[in-house]
Amino acid sequence: LYAVEPDGSDRVRLDEAVTDDPGDGGSNGVAFAAARGRLAYATADGLYVYDRAAKSERVIANRATFGFPPDDPMAGFQGPVWSPDERFLLFAATTKDWMRRGILSTDMAFLFVTPVDGTQWRAISDKALDVAPDKVWAIEPRREPETGRESPTLVSLIWPTP
């Protein structure tokens, strides 16, 4: 993954394992905040934000801050999504340890929201959300109690306010 100016200058290598292709085995997601010129990206090791104007990278969360065992191949961060005002990030995190301890019952991840400075994380769901481009709506799988079947449900995302 590289950050590059529109004219191709100032190429900065951020991470060699990140692409936006979820089928490549190394990608965990990339999200661009156009208004503020920031790029959020996730790897197995952490969640990062690159600020194009400052040419700096900040660690928002990593394995150590979440207490992930260093030898856990399932531990990692995925799918950053910017809030509409680009002040918050939604992301997923998981570790095999959470499943072993019964915190998660499947291979799913917890979804967290954090301010861009990474000072607080708040778990908001243990289900995968398919976030709409407007970042206001999402589809969440819900199990129907009567039938046990999973059905998609439209949910509204309410982002934190300062």
Side-chain angles (χ1 to χ4, degrees):
L1 175 67
Y2 290 87
V4 182
E5 291 299 320
D7 65 2
S9 64
D10 292 332
R11 188 170 89 161
V12 177
R13 182 173 149 204
L14 302 175
D15 192 286
E16 67 182 44
V18 178
T19 70
D20 202 25
D21 178 4
D24 72 2
S27 171
N28 291 341
V30 176
F32 185 61
R36 297 200 171 141
R38 294 182 296 200
L39 180 75
Y41 65 98
T43 70
D45 295 325
L47 176 69
Y48 307 89
V49 171
Y50 177 76
D51 185 311
R52 189 176 79 190
K55 297 195 183 338
S56 64
E57 177 183 70
R58 181 176 348 160
V59 177
I60 304 302
N62 61 27
R63 284 175 171 253
T65 56
F66 267 62
F68 291 167
D71 59 343
D72 182 353
M74 289 183 62
F77 302 85
Q78 302 98 27
V81 175
W82 289 100
S83 65
D85 64 5
E86 300 179 357
R87 294 182 312 155
F88 294 90
L89 279 168
L90 177 75
F91 66 98
T94 193
T95 175
K96 188 168 41 176
D97 189 49
W98 290 346
M99 287 178 275
R100 189 172 36 250
R101 294 187 343 208
I103 296 169
L104 280 177
S105 59
T106 65
D107 299 10
M108 300 301 288
F110 276 114
L111 293 178
F112 293 87
V113 66
T114 182
V116 175
D117 62 9
T119 54
Q120 304 169 355
W121 308 290
R122 181 173 176 192
I124 61 167
S125 178
D126 64 349
K127 296 182 175 63
L129 295 178
D130 188 9
V131 180
D134 66 6
K135 301 174 188 168
V136 174
W137 298 97
I139 300 292
E140 176 183 67
R142 293 213 177 139
R143 197 161 303 278
E144 296 177 20
E146 301 83 34
T147 64
R149 284 186 289 167
E150 201 170 86
S151 62
T153 304
L154 185 65
V155 296
S156 175
L157 296 175
I158 300 172
W159 294 91
T161 56

